[in-house]
Amino acid sequence: MADVFCLGEALIDFVSMESGVSLIESPGFLKAAGGAPANVSVGLARLGVPVAFMGKVGEDPFGHYLERTFRSAGVDTSPMRFDREARTGLSFVSLTGSGERDFIFFRNPSADMRLSPDEVDPEAIRRAKIFQFGSITLITEPSRSATLKALDVAKEAGLIVSYDPNLRLPLWPSEEQARQEILVSLPLADIVKVSEVELEFLFGSQDAEKGTEQLLDMGAKIAVATLGEAGCFYRNKQASGAVKGFEVNTVDTTGAGDGFVAGLLTGLLRGEAHRHLDDLDASALDTTCRYANAVGALATTRKGAIPALPTADEVARFLA
Ligand code: ADP
């Protein structure tokens, strides 16, 4: 039985084998499993948390590769769906010389966008304690209605709802629509994790103290802003504060945020802390955020998102 139910996109990232080149110049690509909510589910499984993932992939070799990757990490993939008409979503990405990402998505439409409300498994959701989702399945129908239905089921069953908007502007019809939709969906969440870039996009400022306050005003019980290598800033009704990040040998920051979320939820499930998010004091939140920072930091020490996500033992050794 899963403690956390993750819903969202799973897709293949094709990462250029050569870095410092554009997609036009790249000689070839390595396939890697991706999609933020899927990465979070693998992160949780590695940390020893029972977790299920729901998302739609194509009835094709890439869809089966994703399902197999998640399942072999320990994720319950029984809520996953396979699309016979649309293919698994793909993205191609290369880090150019200037350190910027050159990328392109193949989703015209892809299977993840076609998850429909009748494919949502309410029973599997009701059995969990925390429901984790992102904004990408909210962009188009029918995955939007499917996400909202799953959220309804989760809320009705008394699950804690955790949201990492995970802004991907190129996937939205317009900037304004992205901002509006994310702002409207934020009040659905008890736990919100955002990055500084997302704070700036949503509220016009990277100020984490102010931003987390705004998130609490919108209904969050815990709001956390991640600050890259600097760590994070948290807030609930009782306390707020910055928690310093760890210095590590960073190779690739892909998946740091997803690892952070997995660490955060793992920390909150300990001692059933998720049941009293409003009452957690500074010491409890410091400990949880330190753990999340450690998972995020370790996730940057290896290439790729999923291969870099640490196990509970690795985090324990790192913290010791
Ligand atoms: P995202 O990946 O969503 O953009 P961040 O870059 O803020 O999010 O990273 C999430 C978390 O991962 C940070 O809060 C921090 O704990 C950890 N982290 C990210 N980059 C580094 C780094 N270079 N060194 C150490 N920790 C890092």
Side-chain angles (χ1 to χ4, degrees):
M1 217 165 71
D3 282 353
V4 183
F5 188 98
C6 298
L7 180 142
E9 71 286 0
L11 37 92
I12 305 266
D13 291 326
F14 279 100
V15 185
S16 175
M17 282 157 40
E18 196 175 309
S19 53
V21 295
S22 69
L23 288 178
I24 292 178
E25 296 153 341
S26 174
F29 301 86
L30 281 177
K31 77 176 190 295
N39 291 343
V40 171
S41 74
V42 171
L44 285 161
R46 293 248 169 87
L47 295 172
V49 173
V51 56
F53 173 71
M54 158 142 224
K56 200 168 188 180
V57 293
E59 174 64 63
D60 56 46
F62 294 132
H64 288 289
Y65 168 74
L66 289 169
E67 191 277 335
R68 197 191 295 177
T69 302
F70 307 150
R71 183 159 37 89
S72 50
V75 176
D76 172 6
T77 56
S78 54
M80 280 182 76
R81 302 289 178 257
F82 293 85
D83 197 324
R84 290 183 179 280
E85 279 159 50
R87 300 286 199 210
T88 300
L90 310 179
S91 81
F92 288 80
V93 53
S94 179
L95 274 187
T96 62
S98 53
E100 269 172 44
R101 273 159 190 262
D102 191 11
F103 62 88
I104 182 171
F105 287 99
F106 284 67
R107 318 176 3 114
N108 308 305
S110 49
D112 56 292
M113 301 161 73
R114 289 167 33 100
L115 181 70
S116 67
D118 56 301
E119 291 173 312
V120 169
D121 179 353
E123 270 320 302
I125 297 171
R126 286 190 194 112
R127 289 193 292 263
K129 297 173 179 171
I130 296 178
F131 179 83
Q132 170 71 37
F133 77 113
S135 73
I136 289 170
T137 48
L138 288 174
I139 300 175
T140 48
E141 290 292 3
S143 65
R144 176 182 171 76
S145 295
T147 306
L148 294 175
K149 175 182 172 182
L151 268 163
D152 265 355
V153 172
K155 288 244 163 220
E156 224 165 83
L159 273 74
I160 297 297
V161 171
S162 170
Y163 186 24
D164 174 358
N166 198 33
L167 178 68
R168 290 287 177 275
L169 264 184
L171 299 182
W172 289 88
S174 73
E175 259 193 42
E176 204 31 51
Q177 195 169 335
R179 191 176 293 107
Q180 283 315 315
E181 292 291 336
I182 294 176
L183 285 173
V184 170
S185 53
L186 280 167
L188 300 169
D190 303 298
I191 302 169
V192 178
K193 174 262 175 194
V194 288
S195 67
E196 286 174 297
V197 174
E198 286 159 349
L199 279 183
E200 167 102 55
F201 179 75
L202 293 170
F203 304 125
S205 153
Q206 293 208 354
D207 187 329
E209 290 208 32
K210 273 202 217 128
T212 51
E213 220 169 78
Q214 276 166 290
L215 290 169
L216 249 57
D217 287 343
M218 294 174 82
K221 292 178 174 157
I222 292 189
V224 185
T226 58
L227 316 172
E229 61 186 4
C232 67
F233 187 93
Y234 68 78
R235 182 184 298 279
N236 76 347
K237 272 191 188 145
Q238 311 295 332
S240 65
V243 182
K244 251 180 66 178
F246 292 93
E247 255 177 63
V248 289
N249 196 354
T250 295
V251 176
D252 174 11
T253 57
T254 312
D258 303 331
F260 182 93
V261 172
L264 183 71
L265 299 186
T266 303
L268 291 174
L269 282 164
R270 252 184 231 138
E272 303 276 294
H274 70 283
R275 288 186 190 278
H276 35 265
L277 297 174
D278 278 336
D279 306 324
L280 298 177
D281 62 11
S283 152
L285 290 165
D286 271 330
T287 307
T288 298
C289 287
R290 188 166 174 268
Y291 189 82
N293 277 341
V295 180
L298 288 170
T300 71
T301 59
R302 267 171 270 172
K303 256 194 135 173
I306 286 183
L309 291 164
T311 63
D313 279 351
E314 283 169 330
V315 184
R317 258 180 275 135
F318 178 75
L319 286 172

